[in-house]
């Protein structure tokens, strides 16, 4: 069994910053890609950013140059540093991880953390 636990969400004013964390634990041999997605009210879940085990990153155009994804492989943890936040960044943010155990690769999701950008 694998758990992804997110933290770091909250309320922030436009232009502010937040840092999200997501730690994977449980039956893990290795963790491949880790990423972040978000879902705003009334909208579909959308891709935000991804990082490979080797540290190669990719971002959605809407967050490029404002958000930075990173990871700590020793702790199976992924981070999302969010700067210059805008009201349209308001959403529930979910982390994802592609995890290998006994030769089987499975995608797991966290429970989500709320980010609200408002004055």
């Amino acid at each position: 069994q694998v758990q992804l636990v997110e933290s770091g969400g909250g309320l922030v004013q436009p232009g502010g910053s937040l840092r999200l964390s997501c730690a994977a634990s449980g039956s893990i041999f290795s963790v491949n890609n880790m990423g972040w997605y978000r879902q705003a009210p009334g909208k579909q879940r959308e891709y935000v950013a991804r990082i490979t085990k080797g540290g190669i990153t990719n971002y959605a155009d809407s967050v490029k140059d404002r958000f930075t994804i990173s990871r700590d492989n020793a702790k199976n943890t992924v981070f999302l540093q969010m700067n210059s936040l805008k009201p349209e960044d308001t959403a529930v943010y979910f982390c994802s991880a592609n995890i290998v155990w006994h030769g089987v690769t499975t995608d797991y999701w966290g429970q989500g953390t709320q980010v609200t950008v408002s004055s």
Side-chain angles (χ1 to χ4, degrees):
Q1 193 73 4
V2 172
Q3 279 191 320
L4 300 184
V5 179
E6 296 124 334
S7 61
L11 172 65
V12 63
Q13 292 187 340
S17 299
L18 280 176
R19 187 182 194 226
L20 306 183
S21 301
C22 172
S25 62
S27 300
I28 298 172
F29 174 74
S30 67
V31 183
N32 296 327
N33 290 353
M34 302 184 82
W36 290 93
Y37 291 73
R38 65 187 182 185
Q39 188 167 17
K43 295 187 177 181
Q44 290 191 335
R45 189 174 298 190
E46 66 174 3
Y47 166 76
V48 175
R50 180 181 65 245
I51 184 168
T52 69
K53 189 173 185 178
I56 297 172
T57 60
N58 181 270
Y59 299 91
D61 287 342
S62 59
V63 306
K64 202 171 293 183
D65 299 326
R66 298 189 299 122
F67 291 10
T68 301
I69 189 170
S70 59
R71 64 189 284 174
D72 182 337
N73 289 335
K75 297 181 179 180
N76 293 328
T77 300
V78 63
F79 306 95
L80 186 68
Q81 177 66 44
M82 305 185 293
N83 298 329
S84 301
L85 282 161
K86 305 174 181 180
E88 51 263 44
D89 295 317
T90 295
V92 177
Y93 283 70
F94 299 88
C95 70
S96 69
N98 184 256
I99 292 173
V100 181
W101 177 249
H102 281 232
V104 177
T105 301
T106 306
D107 289 327
Y108 290 91
W109 292 86
Q111 81 287 353
T113 185
Q114 177 70 47
V115 171
T116 302
V117 184
S118 175
S119 55

